[in-house]
Amino acid sequence: MKHTKKILGTMLLTAAAVVATSCVDDSKLLFSVDKPASIADMEYLNAYDALKTYVNSSANPDFKLGIALAANDYIAGGLVTRLANSNFHDMTAGNAMKYASCVADDGSMNFGTVENFVSAAKAGGLTIYGHTLGWHAQQNNKYLNGLLKDKEMDVDPDEKVDVEDYAVDYSTSGYTFWNEVNAEVKETTTIGKNDAEGCLEIKTSVAAAQNHYVQYHIADNLPTVIGKEYKLRIMIKGSAAGSLNFGVGPWSGRAEGAFSFDTEWKEYDFTFTAVADGGHVMTQSGLFAGTIQIKYVKIFHSEAPTVEVEQEVNVQTYKDGPFPFYVGCEPPVINSCLHFVPTGDWAQFFVFPGGDNPLEEGNYVIYLDLTASKDASGVQLTMQNGWGGDAQSITVAVPIKEGNHKVRLNFPDVAGGNYDVILKPQTADATLDLRSVTVCKVVKMNSIPLTPEEKKDTLTWAMNNWVEGMMKATGGYVTAWDVVNEAISGGGDDGEGFYTLQSAKNVSAEDAKNNFYWQDYLGNEDYVRIVVAAARKYYAENGGVNPLKLFVNDYNLESDWDDNKKVKSLVHWIEKWEADGVTKIDGIGTQMHVSCYANAVTQKSKEDHVEKMFQILAESGKLVKITELDMGYIDENGTSVKTENMTEAQHKAMSDYYKFIVKKYFEIIPAAQQYGITQWCATDSPSNSSWRGGEPVGLWDANYSRKHTYAGFADGLSGK
């Protein structure tokens, strides 16, 4: 539907709207041409003036007619700028003045766009309605959650602790190690397990001529590394006092020593430097007559207190059959292993799907348990949280050696999300059998959680820092703000019959993850008080001279399904916030993202509850501002109608509803409480928009031609 355009007070007539004449002989045509109905039906809009001319500013100088727009579109100085300057007194930036738009992951703040927006508004003679200081959505979650991380405790680098590398406990383990008894004492010596005592037991009734005549292993397959210092610990006792000689290491080279024991269970330690890799603990006790019992053997190394540990978070194994995932080549699962056979072509394949591998932000380690037919190079492992341009992708080289081995790979600075893990043999010519993928998070152990008091103190500082930065950037020019946005949950019971506040505890897991609920840490009452106090303090300190008006803004206040319970709850909570005698909230903002309904009964209910909302707001005594007015259309089937499918009658019904809302605002809200109306969408929403995509939400169409809704809005302002 084409409209005759009247933009910014200038008439733009189409050729079809006039009688055609000949340019050859200047003679008139002998017949007339009718205007198309679609054009004729819209021509009445040309008679309307700019919207702000319909506001009686002398009756209420505080009332401002506003428009929401992208700050950069206004700064650009083009059509959007001219439309705003001609039709409105006031502007709201759609996103530019929100936390996530200004605060980086490291907490640094960039207010360049805000400062340019303020300068452009001054030049255009428009004021700005600030949106928003306190909110749970569009926050920089990475930075804010980082402020709440566990605090690290100081660690003395000179302090050492024992880290266990190896243990054999004979109370639970059998004895299967090698032993040798010389023929001289074979009849008088036994070595075995004493199940009743839970220990290894060596009995010698007659002492041998040489100590090595009774020789046995008490531990095997040690993890010791040549040149590294270790501690051998043995729990031992004897039927009498005696001595036990031992050697630690392989036959090719051992560290040697002896323990003197008595008749009580005691731990004995021996510190040694490994002479060679691995080996065993070999003991000799031929000179002792009696019983020796050994409870356990342990090997330790000493190091500074552990700062980090690897905590297993996700494991992937495989069942025999076809390739279980997708992307790239498709190796089958044979003997519980992904079995990759090279073909000479470049290859990659999934080994862990992201849906099974959700990860929080942090540092990670991945273990691949695999077998290779030969040494190979060029193999990589990639971990990524999606496939878009903004997805994080980390790729590391995978060392491949012939035989069975477990490969440990570092993945630092993971941003968080669902991470696909992809093995990329590329053109490597080794056959690979992958048994499992284990993902571990690297966790600091020298840390403790912040207390609730510490979290509140930290976030109070963060809120003050944010508000101070914004007030410096606006320099006192912005005198009205959504001080807190969308605080009321719309559900629950606060104990007094009203809705609770928004919280991570009463939303979906996805919302809890994506949003940051300041009130969960600052407290339901102190949250708003802290933001209000910060706004007033830093406004005054940064050039604020005119009175500062602070609004609490929310949506669904006109709700008919709960008989306006949300607006009643908001008024109730404002009373609680102001009960300290210090906090002052000047006004209430109502977001009216409404729809016009084809069903007459439904539409009447919607209109009745718009009136009830205005009555409740009027009775609150607060300033009242419609902060985000826009409208869609719902047909008799309950379906939202897209712009291209709208009929003339439906457009006119929307126009009537706009007129109804604006007129009722002026009729019900006392003049002293009327602070303004802001149209949220100047034009109809593009089909690809995240906000009411493809819906007829504007007063102008996508080509900036006036719509019937323009007339309804203007008539409401003028009181027609």
Side-chain angles (χ1 to χ4, degrees), residues 158-164 231 300-306:
D158 296 325
E159 180 183 344
K160 301 293 184 180
V161 296
D162 288 338
V163 179
E164 185 177 296
K231 184 184 294 182
F300 299 88
H301 73 271
S302 295
E303 61 181 36
T306 301

Side-chain angles (χ1 to χ4, degrees), residues 255-324:
E256 297 182 345
F259 290 130
S260 295
F261 55 83
D262 59 26
T263 58
E264 301 293 329
W265 282 115
K266 292 180 182 177
E267 285 185 337
Y268 297 91
D269 288 349
F270 170 70
T271 301
F272 66 97
T273 299
V275 178
D277 292 342
H280 48 257
V281 179
M282 184 271 296
T283 51
Q284 299 172 338
S285 59
L287 298 179
F288 178 80
T291 300
I292 299 173
Q293 293 179 322
I294 300 174
K295 185 78 73 174
Y296 54 74
V297 180
K298 297 180 180 180
I299 300 287
F300 299 88
H301 73 271
S302 295
E303 61 181 36
T306 301
V307 175
E308 295 180 340
V309 297
E310 298 172 3
Q311 291 184 348
E312 182 180 296
V313 291
N314 297 316
V315 178
Q316 179 68 60
T317 56
Y318 311 100
K319 293 183 179 180
D320 287 9
F323 183 64

Side-chain angles (χ1 to χ4, degrees), residues 574-590:
I574 289 174
E575 292 172 353
K576 293 181 72 170
W577 293 324
E578 291 185 325
D580 63 353
V582 177
T583 302
K584 181 187 177 185
I585 295 166
D586 300 284
I588 297 173
T590 173

Side-chain angles (χ1 to χ4, degrees), residues 596 598 633-636 641-642 645-655 708-709:
C596 179
Y633 190 87
I634 307 295
D635 66 16
E636 285 283 3
V641 180
K642 299 300 183 182
N645 299 322
M646 289 285 291
T647 67
E648 202 77 12
Q650 290 169 340
H651 278 297
K652 288 182 177 179
M654 289 178 65
S655 177
H708 292 301
T709 49

Side-chain angles (χ1 to χ4, degrees), residues 128 154 206 284 453 483 614-615:
I128 295 173
D154 291 334
V206 177
Q284 299 172 338
E453 293 76 18
V483 67
F614 285 144
Q615 290 164 358

Side-chain angles (χ1 to χ4, degrees), residues 19-273:
V19 175
T21 59
S22 170
C23 60
V24 177
D25 59 8
D26 200 38
S27 62
K28 293 183 178 180
L29 295 175
L30 299 178
F31 59 90
S32 62
V33 179
D34 291 333
K35 299 172 185 178
S38 61
I39 293 177
D41 196 45
M42 303 300 295
E43 269 194 334
Y44 79 100
L45 292 171
N46 292 330
Y48 281 87
D49 206 341
L51 286 177
K52 68 182 181 182
T53 64
Y54 296 101
V55 175
N56 187 352
S57 297
S58 61
N60 186 358
D62 288 334
F63 179 90
K64 295 178 181 179
L65 185 63
I67 185 67
L69 39 70
N72 282 326
D73 286 349
Y74 185 81
I75 294 167
L79 179 59
V80 171
T81 309
R82 297 194 298 275
L83 182 145
N85 290 348
S86 297
N87 288 278
F88 300 96
H89 309 114
D90 188 55
M91 296 181 292
T92 300
N95 288 307
M97 301 176 80
K98 293 174 181 174
Y99 193 94
S101 298
C102 303
V103 182
D105 290 349
D106 63 357
S108 60
M109 295 185 287
N110 184 343
F111 293 103
T113 300
V114 174
E115 292 166 348
N116 292 336
F117 187 46
V118 169
S119 296
K122 289 179 179 178
L126 271 67
T127 57
I128 295 173
Y129 182 77
H131 178 70
T132 173
L133 296 178
W135 196 21
H136 58 269
Q138 289 185 247
Q139 306 297 288
N140 189 311
N141 292 11
K142 182 174 182 178
Y143 169 64
L144 292 171
N145 286 320
L147 293 177
L148 302 179
K149 284 185 176 179
D150 295 351
K151 60 182 178 182
E152 293 186 22
M153 300 176 291
D154 291 334
V155 174
D156 182 355
D158 296 325
E159 180 183 344
K160 301 293 184 180
V161 296
D162 288 338
V163 179
E164 185 177 296
D165 297 303
Y166 177 93
V168 175
D169 188 339
Y170 292 105
S171 65
T172 58
S173 301
Y175 175 68
T176 58
F177 304 133
W178 173 89
N179 66 81
E180 179 182 273
V181 179
N182 189 274
E184 179 183 327
V185 292
K186 193 170 185 178
E187 300 300 324
T188 58
T189 300
T190 59
I191 302 173
K193 178 85 176 292
N194 184 328
D195 292 322
E197 292 284 342
C199 65
L200 176 65
E201 188 171 77
I202 304 96
K203 289 186 174 181
T204 303
S205 58
V206 177
Q210 299 290 332
N211 209 31
H212 67 268
Y213 282 6
V214 179
Q215 182 169 275
Y216 42 95
H217 288 186
I218 58 174
D220 209 349
N221 299 316
L222 302 182
T224 48
V225 177
I226 186 172
K228 189 172 181 179
E229 187 174 277
Y230 294 92
K231 184 184 294 182
L232 170 67
R233 177 172 298 165
I234 297 180
M235 172 73 86
I236 186 173
K237 76 172 182 177
S239 57
S243 179
L244 181 70
N245 288 9
F246 58 83
V248 186
W251 291 108
S252 59
R254 299 191 300 273
E256 297 182 345
F259 290 130
S260 295
F261 55 83
D262 59 26
T263 58
E264 301 293 329
W265 282 115
K266 292 180 182 177
E267 285 185 337
Y268 297 91
D269 288 349
F270 170 70
T271 301
F272 66 97
T273 299

